[in-house]
Amino acid sequence: MAVTAIDQLIQLFARLPGLGPRSARRAVLFLIKRRESLMLPLAQALSDAAEAMKSCDICGNIDVTDPCSVCNSTRRDVSVICVVEDVADLWALERTASFSGLYHVLGGTLSALDGIGPEDLAIAGLVARAETDRVSEIILATSATVDGQTTAHYVAERLADCGVKISRLAHGVPVGGELDYLDDGTLSAAIKARREI
Ligand SMILES: [Zn+2]
């Protein structure tokens, strides 16, 4: 049986995080009933975003410019870099508006199980940034999972000779998950109560 455009759409939606086949069907039907007001604008927005998005050469953020709007801003504190696992974490921190420094996206965590080593993450780029005169503090905001802790440890060791202060988000936060799952208040508090390691 031929797969129709609608079937294909449902299959694609079902691959999104948090959506299974059932919610994908509901979402697609919702769109079909709002063809003019939602479906076509969504299709256009997806196409525009796919066309425009760029990965920032400096920090790894995803934006429509390279360098990204954070790296390009003249209002950021360039002496502090917050190291995160994923772009979602960077966006979560930006949403809280409680951090005014720059970021560095590692692109994951070290994981023996998944065969992810230091060369698979953006660690060399971070060390290069830390070695410049203007950087005085690096905040390690990787998750409190075993892999996240191992990664923070490893990165701290690699930065040991850079002459920068290294700190970690306040203890207990985030526990076993991405920063994105924390509410803004908790995240702001974790940044403010960071401890030097
Ligand atoms: Zn950037």
Side-chain angles (χ1 to χ4, degrees), residues 56-61 65-72 90 103 129:
C56 177
D57 261 343
I58 300 169
C59 74
N61 188 15
T65 57
D66 176 21
C68 71
S69 55
V70 177
C71 290
N72 257 340
L90 188 164
Y103 296 96
R129 291 179 76 188

Side-chain angles (χ1 to χ4, degrees), residues 102-116:
L102 301 175
Y103 296 96
H104 196 87
V105 180
L106 289 177
T109 52
L110 296 173
S111 170
L113 204 63
D114 298 324
I116 299 170

Side-chain angles (χ1 to χ4, degrees), residues 41-113:
L42 177 67
Q44 188 63 50
L46 279 173
S47 168
D48 290 349
E51 199 70 39
M53 67 169 210
K54 292 181 177 69
S55 178
C56 177
D57 261 343
I58 300 169
C59 74
N61 188 15
I62 292 171
D63 205 336
V64 295
T65 57
D66 176 21
C68 71
S69 55
V70 177
C71 290
N72 257 340
S73 171
T74 53
R75 291 194 295 272
R76 311 290 300 208
D77 178 359
V78 298
S79 71
V80 189
I81 295 176
C82 182
V83 179
V84 293
E85 290 174 18
D86 195 84
V87 173
D89 302 323
L90 188 164
W91 289 2
L93 283 162
E94 275 302 278
R95 228 176 26 237
T96 69
S98 58
F99 177 69
S100 61
L102 301 175
Y103 296 96
H104 196 87
V105 180
L106 289 177
T109 52
L110 296 173
S111 170
L113 204 63

Side-chain angles (χ1 to χ4, degrees), residues 20-182:
R22 188 186 156 89
S23 36
R25 274 195 301 275
R26 284 182 56 192
V28 167
L29 192 58
F30 188 88
L31 286 173
I32 288 170
K33 287 178 179 168
R34 292 158 186 82
R35 187 178 181 277
E36 300 296 326
S37 66
L38 191 58
M39 195 176 196
L40 291 172
L42 177 67
Q44 188 63 50
L46 279 173
S47 168
D48 290 349
E51 199 70 39
M53 67 169 210
K54 292 181 177 69
S55 178
C56 177
D57 261 343
I58 300 169
C59 74
N61 188 15
I62 292 171
D63 205 336
V64 295
T65 57
D66 176 21
C68 71
S69 55
V70 177
C71 290
N72 257 340
S73 171
T74 53
R75 291 194 295 272
R76 311 290 300 208
D77 178 359
V78 298
S79 71
V80 189
I81 295 176
C82 182
V83 179
V84 293
E85 290 174 18
D86 195 84
V87 173
D89 302 323
L90 188 164
W91 289 2
L93 283 162
E94 275 302 278
R95 228 176 26 237
T96 69
S98 58
F99 177 69
S100 61
L102 301 175
Y103 296 96
H104 196 87
V105 180
L106 289 177
T109 52
L110 296 173
S111 170
L113 204 63
D114 298 324
I116 299 170
E119 64 286 348
D120 299 312
L121 304 177
I123 295 173
L126 174 65
V127 174
R129 291 179 76 188
E131 279 169 347
T132 63
D133 294 341
R134 56 185 204 171
V135 178
S136 62
E137 182 183 2
I138 305 266
I139 305 170
L140 300 174
T142 55
S143 68
T145 58
V146 172
D147 285 345
Q149 302 274 29
T150 306
T151 306
H153 232 259
Y154 178 83
V155 171
E157 257 170 39
R158 287 281 299 267
L159 293 170
D161 297 329
C162 296
V164 292
K165 181 172 142 190
I166 301 169
S167 55
R168 187 96 171 94
L169 288 194
H171 186 63
V173 212
V175 177
E178 292 179 33
L179 294 181
D180 201 21
Y181 291 110
L182 293 177

